[in-house]
Structure formats: C-alpha cells, structure tokens
C-alpha cells in the first residue's frame, strides 16, 4: 500500500505558508472525545457531545459580532479550521470510535489535487452518544467542503469553503442525588439516578459559506528539468482578494415539561420554557496582500516580509425569541509578518483592526510577536497585545416573557504579555503570561451577566517535557494559574497530566505498538454550574468540588495505514474516591471502555 511522502501536508486559511505534516503515527489517537489539548484541557458535562468548559482563561479574541454561545464549539467545524491538503496523490480516511453505553463517533475525509488546477476536500463526522445518566444523549454532526480552482497561468484563483454543524444534546440539568459527597446515596446502576430535567433539548445549527476570488501579480520562472523538458512556474508577489458569503446560526433550548423550581425567574410555562437566538450574517471583504517574493536574476528571493490590509462589511440580522435587531459592522485591518519561506532565524508579526460602525463600533485590537531561533539553544518568543471589544449578545441582551436584560456594559478590554521558550531537541516548552482584564463580564449565581467594576489580574505558567529512553516515553504537563477576582473567575490553581507509554515495533518490525497510561489531575475549586436555557456556565456558591487523579489505560497499533486502539477510561474509579463532578450536579461518566480505528487510503 502507498505511503505518504514527506511533502504531503496541510495548512489553515490564515497561515497558507505554514505547512503541517500529515500525522502518520500513534500520538494521542486514543483522545477521541474532543476534550484534551496540548495544554489545558476541557471538561464536558459527562458525555461526549455535551457542553464543555475550559480549565484556564477562556477569552474569545475573535473579532466582530459574537453570540456568546460557545460551549459546543469543540465539536463544530469552522472555516478557519478547515485543513487544506497539499498532496501528490488522493488521500481518504475513515474513523470509527465505539464506547460504552452506545458512544459512537464516526468520521470520513477525502482530499484530491488534480494537476495543480483543482484541489478539493470533504470532511464529515458524527457523534451519537447515549451517556451513562438519563436524558444526556447527544447527536452532533459536521460537514465541511472546500474547492480551489486555479487558472492555467496561476494568476486567478477561485475558492469555495463551506461548513455545516448541527448539535442536538438532551439536557438533564444534573442528577439530584449527590452520591460523591454522600456515598449512602450511591445506586448500583447510574441510570437509577433521578435527573432534574426530563425533556430538555439544546439545538445548534451553523451554516457557513465563503467564496473568495483572488488575482495575483508576479513573475514566472522556467525550471529546467532536462534539455527536452522545462516547467514554467508562476510566483505571486502581489494579490487582490474579494470574499463574500453567508453565515446562518441558530441556537435554541426547549423544555416541554418545565418545573418552576428548576428555572426560577426564567420559567415561562409548564408546557414550554424555551430560548431561541438566530442571526444571519453576510460578509463582504476586499483585501490586498504582498507575499514578499521577488525575482533575483534566475532565482527566487524570499524576503522576510509579507503584509495584508483590507476592509470588511458585515450585515447582521438577528432574532432573539421575538426581538429583532439589525446592524452593519464595518472594520479595517492590517497585518505584517515575517515570511516562513525566507528561512530566517527570527520571525515577527504585527496586526491591528478597528471597527468604524455597527454593533462592534470602536472595537479594536493591536498585537504583535517576535521570536528568535537560537538553533541548539531553542527558540524564544515574546508577544503582547491590547484589545477592546463589545460584550457578546447573550451578555448584552436577553429577552423572554418572564426574564429580560438589556445591559449598558462598558467595553471589555485586555492587555496581555506572554513568553514562550521551546527546546525541541529535548521536548521542552515553557510558557508564561500575564493579563489585565478591565470590565470583565461573567454570569453570576443568578445566571445573569454581570460586569466587574475593577480590573482583574490573571496569570498562568505551564511547562511540558517529554522524556524518552529507547522504547520508554514519559510526557508531562503542569500548569499553574491564578487571579484576584475569584468571585468572577474560578479555575483550578494547578492542573497536571502525564502519559507513560512503551512504543516500538513488533512482529519483525511490521507493526508499531504503543502501550501506556494517562494521568490527569487538578486541584479543588468551586467549578461552575450549567444553565441550559441560556447556554452558559455560571458561578455557583453551593459546593467546593473534590477531584481525584484520573488514570486511563490504552493500547494502540499501526500496520501500514491502519491504526487501531482500545482504552479504559478512569480505570481507578472508586480507589481514592467514588467520582468527581465536571459541573455542579454533573458527575463524570466513571469507568468506561472505548476503542476504534483510523484507516487511511492513498491512491
């Protein structure tokens, strides 16, 4: 069977020159539930596909209009996360993961590049998971498509990107019995626990199309292969881009058997307590870019310099329950950065944007970074930024027949400085950052948005280190964080995770195998509560959460392009304590088992 070449890679929309090799190994393939990251992880409500929350500062620095409904985003496809493949042969792949209690994740992808004139790719995944507690079933689906057409002379490009995401998650409001702090309430079967909500459902639908026309100015160079064969290559140096599209976003919750004791002031009626937010956004963007390429005699010179500037208009129409709102955002932006193709030891970036009109009028950002590669001594990068942004829609406005708010909040602002030190040879990374957050907004114990009157200081440090001796591997991460407003932002002070595994080839080198265990632990804190009606985590003062180390055991194998794995989650349940909460009233799944395969085809 064919193998991937070293040149086979992919890139993202915002970083077309940063090529990432396609993964062909066994690294972290057992992390199937979308919650782990390379640094701080996420918690979900106890089932794959349910609402998640980040274990560090979750600051949304995306520009423009924000709905605030972000707690399912890890499961969704977004255009800026599409992988654009640069491959010599077609590539396709199927994934299938199966877990306890009918936990299923299925995915498939296909990418093809036809004679450098037409590149396209499709990607799909589906989550269906019943969960171990009642009324927690999730059914999430995603689909993405991209197509890039290039003219024969390579001066014109037409690209079309499309994503569709749908979330349908049953909401049980948490279980009524606290069997973790009161073991006498423990049942023999998790389905025996009584839940708070019997007929609650959250639904999200997001549909996004972006069409981009680009025309390039540059030069051509003849690359001679032999006396009888020559290839003429076009190198773009200056480009004009125009983008337009449509974004349709729907967020909703409904409970057809609502209990006034559960919803308090948000209760509307027993036969239907609901929330619905829909907004339609039409973007139009014109931009100019310079790639830093120039012709030098018969060679191509890569300047360590590239830039882009543009203007974008967004027409936004919004309906919240029965309230209507229309706005027109208009902003200008510019960015300058080093060219990764120049192969310099140092790199830099600087970018800024400003909103002239609309909901986000007077929002602005200015940020930059500088890095230097000391070769054997590693890479040091320092960065910083200042930004001001309008409150998200759910923070600013809520309207129903029983509860409303229309807040006149001051704009949120953030000043951040950070530093990173990487020593790839020894698998070491060190990160530190300090934030000053002014007018920080959070959801208080009444599930209402509230703004701090004084500035918040937030800091974090983390370090990661990989150790290897022959077939033994030991990967470690430890993060420490803190802030001076615990009434508004509650996070664990310490989070650590370790992975110990043996990896090597067996069966005369024909199979790559990995056997190991993952450990995760965070210190005690008052984790947030979840309000499914408004789709937000909020501060709770009822309980400090006790956490226990969590150990997962896994095995993984690879034969050519087929990879399979099996995993026992939270294998130590009950050895130190019974369980732990992921949110107030939402215990973890406990001990479960999962397995799956990833099969790649190259033709």
């Amino acid at each position: 069977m064919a193998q991937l070449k070293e040149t086979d890679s992919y890139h993202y929309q915002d970083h077309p020159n940063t090529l990432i090799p396609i993964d062909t190994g066994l690294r972290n393939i057992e992390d199937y539930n979308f919650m782990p990251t390379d640094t701080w992880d996420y918690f979900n409500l106890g089932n794959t596909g349910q609402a998640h929350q980040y274990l560090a500062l979750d600051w949304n620095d995306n520009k423009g209009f924000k709905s605030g409904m972000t707690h399912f985003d890890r499961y969704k496809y977004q255009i800026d996360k599409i992988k654009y493949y640069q491959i010599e042969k077609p590539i396709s792949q199927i994934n299938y993961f199966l877990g306890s209690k009918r936990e299923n994740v299925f995915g498939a992808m296909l990418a093809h590049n036809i004679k450098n004139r037409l590149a396209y790719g499709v990607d799909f995944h589906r989550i269906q998971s019943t969960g171990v507690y009642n009324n927690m079933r999730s059914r999430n689906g995603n689909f993405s498509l991209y197509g890039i057409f290039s003219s024969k002379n390579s001066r014109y490009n037409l690209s079309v990107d499309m994503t569709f995401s749908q979330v349908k998650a049953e909401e049980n409001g948490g279980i009524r019995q606290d069997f973790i702090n009161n073991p006498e309430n423990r049942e023999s079967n998790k389905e025996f626990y009584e839940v708070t909500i019997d007929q609650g459902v959250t639904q999200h639908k997001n549909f996004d199309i972006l069409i981009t026309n680009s025309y390039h100015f540059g030069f051509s160079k003849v690359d001679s292969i032999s006396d009888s064969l020559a290839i003429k290559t076009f190198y773009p140096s200056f480009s004009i881009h125009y983008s337009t599209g449509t974004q349709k976003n729907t967020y909703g919750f409904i409970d057809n058997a609502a209990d006034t004791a559960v919803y308090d002031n948000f209760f509307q009626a027993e036969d239907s307590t609901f929330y619905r937010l829909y907004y339609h956004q039409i973007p139009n963007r014109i931009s100019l870019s310079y790639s830093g390429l120039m012709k030098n005699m018969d060679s191509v010179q890569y300047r360590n310099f590239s830039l882009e500037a543009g203007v974008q208009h967004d027409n936004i129409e919004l309906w919240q329950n029965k309230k209507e709102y229309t706005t027109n955002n208009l902003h200008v932006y510019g960015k300058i950065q080093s060219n990764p193709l120049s192969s310099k030891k140092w790199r830099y970036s600087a970018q800024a944007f400003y909103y002239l009109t609309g909901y986000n009028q007077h929002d602005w950002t200015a940020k930059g970074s500088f890095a230097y590669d000391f070769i054997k001594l590693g890479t040091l990068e320092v960065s910083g930024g200042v930004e001001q942004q309008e409150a998200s829609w759910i923070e600013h406005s809520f309207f129903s027949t029983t509860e409303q708010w229309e807040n006149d909040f001051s704009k949120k602002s953030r000043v951040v400085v950070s530093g990173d030190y990487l020593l790839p040879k020894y698998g070491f990374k060190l990160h530190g950052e300090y934030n000053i957050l002014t007018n920080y907004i959070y959801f208080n114990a009444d599930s209402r948005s509230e703004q701090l009157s004084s500035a918040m200081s937030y800091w974090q440090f983390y370090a990661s280190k990989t150790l290897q001796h022959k077939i033994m591997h030991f990967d470690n991460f430890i993060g420490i964080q803190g802030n001076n407003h615990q009434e508004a932002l509650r996070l664990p002070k310490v989070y650590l995770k370790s992975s110990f595994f043996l990896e090597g080839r067996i069966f005369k080198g024909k199979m790559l195998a990995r056997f190991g265990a993952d450990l995760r632990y965070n210190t005690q804190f008052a984790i947030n509560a979840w309000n499914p009606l408004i789709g937000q985590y909020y501060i709770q003062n009822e309980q400090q959460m006790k956490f226990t180390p969590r150990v997962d055991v896994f095995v993984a194998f690879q034969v050519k392009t087929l990879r399979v794995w099996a995993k026992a989650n939270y294998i130590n349940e009950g050895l130190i304590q019974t369980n732990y909460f992921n949110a107030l009233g939402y215990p973890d799944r406990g001990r479960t088992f999962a397995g799956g395969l990833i099969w790649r085809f190259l033709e």
Side-chain angles (χ1 to χ4, degrees), residues 319-336:
W319 294 264
Q320 184 188 53
N321 292 339
K322 295 184 179 181
K323 179 179 180 178
E324 296 184 14
Y325 176 80
T326 300
T327 189
N328 287 277
N329 274 348
L330 178 66
H331 80 275
V332 293
Y333 73 93
K335 59 182 178 182
I336 179 173

Side-chain angles (χ1 to χ4, degrees), residues 76-89:
K76 297 178 180 179
Y77 283 176
Q78 298 171 336
I79 283 183
D80 61 355
K81 300 300 181 186
I82 290 178
K83 295 179 179 179
Y84 303 93
Y85 287 89
Q86 295 193 2
I87 50 179
E88 295 185 17
K89 295 182 179 180

